[in-house]
Amino acid sequence: MKQLIINADDFGYSAAINAGIIHSHRQGVLTSATLMANMPGTLDAIALSKQYPSLGIGCHLVLTMGRPLDGTNTSFQDEKGEFYKLCDYPTMRSHYSDEEIYHEWCTQIEYLLDKGVKLTHFDSHHHIHFYPENRAITTKISKKYGLPARNSYGTENFGPIESPDVNDLLLDMMNTSAIRDMSLSYQALREQCLQELQDTFEKANNVQTLEMMVHPAFVDEYLLTHSSFNIARMREVEILTDPIVRQLIASLKYELVNYQTAKITQTV
């Protein structure tokens, strides 16, 4: 049977995102989430992760949002002491110290480990760990902690690389027109949304272990004021908790797994 990981990014971003993720796991098909170590909702997410051990938890490494956990790593900080934003990354990356990136990412992982989080894997905000210039750092971290890194092949125009990955392909489960259309309710658009989901799954017909990336959330003031991607996240909660979506997954012969329960089946 094919394997399906449904992973929610941004666990820890805010309390409302945390609540949406937990609801999508308890009442729906969400199997995994990756936790940000430097955000306002981090401690809340850590506590929730311990209450729901069936939810696989990875580290969502950060290099483009908020503040570094170790302020001595200055090569990627702006004048406010915050990470340079993603829009600045292409021009500023050449000034970053690879050693400082490595140290900061290790600090983020160790922060979660020290808080008792049992990590299953790691990925990153904006897929930064999979950018070609950061892959050597990613490999070094993976070996140090014995944690698999998300294979982001399938998104952001990334090509395949040779490594023993848990997931063979990464797709955005929700980035289609009807799903993103918030002018009508989910119930009004349900048929179109389900068809779009099926179309997305068809892109992975020949894949043994598929990861679907999602961003479910309820909305609080922090999310509303800090991200342009806010209200649309509530649609993802509706879809992930719709019983017919579970039926669709079963009809496509997928077993729902996370990074801990999945089996590595091939090398990309």
Side-chain angles (χ1 to χ4, degrees):
M1 180 175 279
K2 295 182 293 185
Q3 300 180 118
L4 175 61
I5 300 166
I6 302 181
N7 186 88
D9 290 5
D10 301 345
F11 199 30
Y13 189 110
S14 75
I17 286 184
N18 296 347
I21 287 173
I22 294 300
H23 183 71
S24 299
H25 174 63
R26 290 185 62 202
Q27 303 297 326
V29 294
L30 187 72
T31 64
S32 177
T34 34
L35 205 166
M36 305 170 84
N38 70 329
M39 297 299 289
T42 295
L43 292 177
D44 177 57
I46 290 171
L48 288 168
S49 74
K50 296 175 183 179
Q51 293 178 40
Y52 299 96
S54 57
L55 180 66
I57 300 295
C59 180
H60 200 50
L61 295 173
V62 183
L63 193 65
T64 55
M65 185 170 194
R67 290 178 175 271
L69 288 189
D70 186 344
T72 65
N73 298 320
T74 59
S75 65
F76 37 69
Q77 292 183 41
D78 64 16
E79 65 279 0
K80 298 178 182 178
E82 299 178 350
F83 287 118
Y84 287 107
K85 293 180 172 57
L86 181 63
C87 60
D88 300 316
Y89 177 86
T91 56
M92 297 301 298
R93 176 59 179 87
S94 62
H95 301 286
Y96 293 6
S97 161
D98 286 4
E99 187 58 34
E100 288 192 351
I101 294 173
Y102 172 74
H103 185 270
E104 172 62 26
W105 283 355
C106 288
T107 300
Q108 292 176 24
I109 289 174
E110 289 170 10
Y111 176 82
L112 298 181
L113 293 173
D114 288 345
K115 292 291 185 180
V117 180
K118 297 179 180 179
L119 296 177
T120 62
H121 70 295
F122 67 93
D123 56 27
S124 62
H125 200 48
H126 300 134
H127 308 289
I128 288 292
H129 78 287
F130 207 72
Y131 279 53
E133 64 272 17
N134 298 326
R135 288 184 187 172
I137 302 171
T138 296
T139 299
K140 188 176 178 181
I141 288 174
S142 180
K143 290 179 178 179
K144 178 176 181 178
Y145 297 101
L147 293 172
R150 166 194 271 172
N151 172 18
S152 291
Y153 169 54
T155 188
E156 302 286 341
N157 297 315
F158 293 128
I161 62 172
E162 293 185 5
S163 65
D165 299 305
V166 173
N167 63 313
D168 302 321
L169 182 72
L170 175 68
L171 296 177
D172 190 331
M173 188 172 179
M174 305 290 187
N175 194 25
T176 51
S177 59
I179 291 174
R180 290 286 185 248
D181 182 1
M182 300 302 291
S183 66
L184 295 171
S185 70
Y186 173 56
Q187 290 304 314
L189 293 168
R190 191 182 191 209
E191 185 176 342
Q192 295 97 308
C193 290
L194 293 172
Q195 182 59 57
E196 288 180 350
L197 283 177
Q198 188 151 357
D199 292 344
T200 300
F201 275 108
E202 286 180 1
K203 297 177 182 178
N205 278 339
N206 299 320
V207 171
Q208 181 62 33
T209 303
L210 171 65
E211 180 180 350
M212 287 291 200
M213 174 181 62
V214 295
H215 297 82
F218 299 126
V219 179
D220 55 15
E221 186 173 4
Y222 187 84
L223 175 58
L224 194 63
T225 57
H226 284 78
S227 175
S228 59
F229 182 35
N230 42 60
I231 301 297
R233 294 179 187 240
M234 295 193 299
R235 172 67 49 79
E236 301 200 18
V237 176
E238 292 295 318
I239 291 171
L240 291 168
T241 57
D242 186 343
I244 201 169
V245 173
R246 186 182 292 275
Q247 294 172 21
L248 171 63
I249 290 169
S251 73
L252 296 171
K253 308 298 183 185
Y254 280 105
E255 176 189 8
L256 286 167
V257 297
N258 59 42
Y259 272 82
Q260 187 172 35
T261 58
K263 298 177 182 178
I264 297 178
T265 54
Q266 68 179 54
T267 299
V268 176

